[in-house]
Amino acid sequence: MTAEPDFHDLARGDEFLLPSFSFDASSIRAYLDATGEPVERWDGVVPPIAAGALALGALMERVPLPGGALHAGQEFEFLRAIAPGESLETLVRVAQRSERRGTLLLALEVELRSSSDGETVLRGRSTVAAPAGEAAS
């Protein structure tokens, strides 16, 4: 079994794939109910922010954030609509890594691609600040 990456061990240029996922009608409805978005606005498509949120959630499951971490910024670029049931792959790249005054700053690029043809449907960048420290053994 491969060890999961530790937040403190990530280096600029590291990249990894997260497990594929898709949205079914019930997961779309759960998202819309949680956010208060009107269901009819998103008939036949996945709400774009739902896809971004799920990708970031999967990233945090794969690379748990250390105590004291702060989500310092988020950008998304939505390139096309995502259909319910469409299988998506998530590629994550460490775009930047720096340490300043005991704080580790990581900029992570996220790209969602259609599993069927590899077309990129979403690009994002998330910046996380956390206390610098050593990786767990």
Side-chain angles (χ1 to χ4, degrees):
M1 186 166 135
T2 305
E4 296 297 341
D6 183 279
F7 182 86
H8 290 99
D9 286 340
L10 293 176
R12 184 175 183 199
D14 285 352
E15 59 181 43
F16 47 92
L17 285 171
L18 300 177
S20 296
F21 66 92
S22 64
F23 289 86
D24 60 16
S26 65
S27 61
I28 293 170
R29 182 59 187 242
Y31 173 83
L32 295 173
D33 288 346
T35 61
E37 286 275 340
V39 174
E40 53 281 351
R41 179 180 291 164
W42 301 107
D43 188 33
V45 297
V46 174
I49 294 293
L54 193 60
L56 291 177
L59 172 59
M60 289 190 306
E61 283 183 25
R62 175 86 186 266
V63 183
L65 296 178
L70 298 171
H71 186 219
Q74 181 63 58
E75 302 171 24
F76 284 123
E77 178 183 14
F78 304 102
L79 303 171
R80 72 156 173 82
I82 299 168
E86 182 175 3
S87 181
L88 302 168
E89 303 174 335
T90 306
L91 175 66
V92 178
R93 284 183 218 93
V94 179
Q96 289 181 284
R97 177 197 165 95
S98 62
E99 285 191 43
R100 295 186 191 120
R101 297 184 180 194
T103 300
L104 173 60
L105 294 167
L106 286 182
L108 304 167
E109 294 176 341
V110 176
E111 189 172 306
L112 289 183
R113 299 176 184 164
S114 174
S115 297
S116 64
D117 63 9
E119 180 183 8
T120 300
V121 300
L122 176 151
R123 285 191 193 105
R125 185 176 177 106
S126 185
T127 304
V128 179
E134 295 188 23
S137 301

